[in-house]
Amino acid sequence: MKKLLVVGAGAVGSYIGAFLSRAGHDVTFVDPWAEQVEAINARGIAVSGPHDPFTARPRAVHLHEAARLATDFDMAIVTMKSYDTAWAAQLAVRHLGPQGFVVSAQNCWNDPLIASIAGADRAVGLVMSKIGVALWKPGEVERGAERGSASGHDVFRAGEHDGRVTPRTKALAEMLGVVDGAKATDNLWGERWSKLCSNAMGNPVQGMSGLGTAEVMATPSGRAVTIHLAAESARVGLALGYRVPKIGAFPAETWAAADRPETYAELDAKVTPALGPGRNWRSSMAQDVIKRRRTEIDYMNGFVVARAREAGVRTPVSEVVVDIVRGIDAGTREPGPATIDEALRRAGVQ
């Protein structure tokens, strides 16, 4: 049994923490969402998805109560939004035991920031792919239809910043095996970029359009903006020298070559069947927009655009999409399906 601190009781944190609590680990959540903390303590976390439903009963504390926590946690898992990474990491470090370390179980590129706070020797990255979770009501978390281990896919990849496979990354992967397929990786940065591409191609499209996955992919323009975002992100990662694994069903090099008519036609023909039938799922950014919360656009597509400038790679669709979502964040415009055609038109690719 490990003593675990989960900083962030949102969808991902609740889902992972519930499984780890059920497996016998001593799990404590810290979160600023008062209703969620109170629901966990009163009723536990009800978990549903492509598995038998269950209720876990970890402990939860309000953010203002965190100072009372002990300083002997074996591991702290940060599952906050990217813009909350700094304070979450600082809180986590204060409560670690002598051998404890911080795990970034987040979207985007937060590992360097956590390492600057905790020290690289006390920071581990955790990349999660092909897993969609949602939390619409306090104390109730659900996962979408995909389940990695059923298809041989490893959802969780635990990695050290220096690329070593270590006992602690192996142990973390083994621990997460109660949730889904997991492994230790020697390619944290390539895995991170692949996940960033997956996020960048889907999250903002749903967030700005108000459409779900199935609705976006059902239209030529929806597929077009998705393919262009994936292509630009893949080109940047490859130009920076990362060893980028598959992005969804295709190698990064295939996405990067989407400017070739034959490659684009292949992607357009196959991307919708690859999704298969299922729910019209809402990405994390779409959930943020619906809940009127700030999105991670600057840490996702905005980060791709910034790194693209370093690498000398053009990202016209990404730049327009960032501008549109920033407007939605600022409250100066509303989401809607017309933003998809607007993005293509303004980027000059329609």
Side-chain angles (χ1 to χ4, degrees):
M1 184 184 74
K2 296 292 184 181
K3 188 172 183 179
L4 308 176
L5 179 65
V6 181
V7 186
V12 169
S14 293
Y15 190 78
I16 294 174
F19 271 92
L20 294 176
S21 177
R22 185 177 68 159
H25 298 288
D26 182 0
V27 176
T28 299
F29 285 100
V30 176
D31 199 274
W33 183 13
E35 292 82 1
Q36 174 71 342
V37 171
E38 291 162 7
I40 292 172
N41 288 330
R43 305 185 300 276
I45 301 174
V47 183
S48 60
H51 49 67
D52 291 336
F54 67 93
T55 297
R57 298 192 176 277
R59 177 191 181 197
V61 300
H62 296 284
L63 183 58
H64 69 273
E65 299 173 322
R68 303 174 187 171
L69 292 173
T71 57
D72 60 352
F73 285 89
D74 299 306
M75 184 192 309
I77 305 175
V78 173
T79 58
M80 297 296 298
K81 294 291 184 181
S82 295
Y83 43 75
D84 287 322
T85 298
W87 69 257
Q90 290 166 348
L91 186 155
V93 169
R94 289 198 298 270
H95 297 284
L96 291 176
Q99 303 303 316
F101 56 94
V102 182
V103 177
S104 172
Q106 303 167 273
N107 286 330
C108 309
W109 203 264
N110 302 306
D111 301 271
L113 176 56
I114 288 181
S116 73
I117 295 167
D121 61 327
R122 303 189 84 186
V124 169
L126 180 66
V127 181
M128 302 167 288
S129 64
K130 294 186 181 180
I131 179 171
V133 288
L135 199 160
W136 298 106
K137 296 179 181 179
E140 300 178 16
V141 64
E142 72 170 314
R143 180 175 174 179
E146 288 184 328
R147 184 163 172 81
S149 58
S151 59
H153 169 78
D154 290 308
V155 168
F156 301 102
R157 296 94 187 274
E160 299 281 4
H161 290 207
D162 61 7
R164 292 176 300 132
V165 173
T166 60
R168 70 180 180 182
T169 56
K170 290 180 180 179
L172 177 57
E174 183 179 357
M175 180 185 300
L176 291 167
V178 300
V179 186
D180 210 318
K183 68 177 183 180
T185 180
D186 63 356
N187 184 26
L188 174 63
W189 305 115
E191 296 277 9
R192 268 283 185 242
W193 197 273
S194 176
K195 174 62 174 176
L196 183 66
C197 291
S198 295
N199 286 146
M201 70 192 281
N203 270 267
V205 182
Q206 293 183 43
M208 71 186 193
S209 70
L211 303 175
T213 306
E215 293 168 323
V216 170
M217 301 310 294
T219 66
S221 59
R223 294 194 297 276
V225 73
T226 300
I227 292 170
H228 282 295
L229 289 171
E232 291 176 1
S233 302
R235 289 175 196 138
V236 175
L238 294 171
L240 291 170
Y242 295 122
R243 180 161 47 99
V244 185
K246 274 188 174 182
I247 303 166
F250 300 96
E253 292 77 9
T254 301
W255 290 107
D259 53 345
R260 300 174 187 168
E262 64 276 13
T263 304
Y264 184 94
E266 176 190 7
L267 291 166
D268 187 53
K270 291 183 178 180
V271 69
T272 301
L275 289 174
R279 287 181 60 184
N280 194 38
W281 189 256
R282 305 284 175 171
S283 68
S284 60
M285 191 174 292
Q287 294 175 43
D288 290 337
V289 171
I290 291 168
K291 296 174 181 178
R292 298 288 181 176
R293 297 189 310 202
R294 178 185 173 190
T295 73
E296 294 180 295
I297 191 64
D298 287 325
Y299 301 85
M300 200 171 288
N301 299 74
F303 182 78
V304 171
V305 170
R307 297 302 305 274
R309 292 179 182 136
E310 297 175 25
V313 177
R314 293 184 66 253
T315 54
V317 179
S318 300
E319 291 169 25
V320 174
V321 165
V322 169
D323 181 67
I324 292 172
V325 178
R326 282 177 176 167
I328 294 170
D329 274 352
T332 58
R333 60 180 305 164
E334 292 294 320
T339 57
I340 292 177
D341 289 323
E342 177 190 341
L344 295 171
R345 183 182 69 253
R346 287 174 56 188
V349 296
Q350 193 175 47

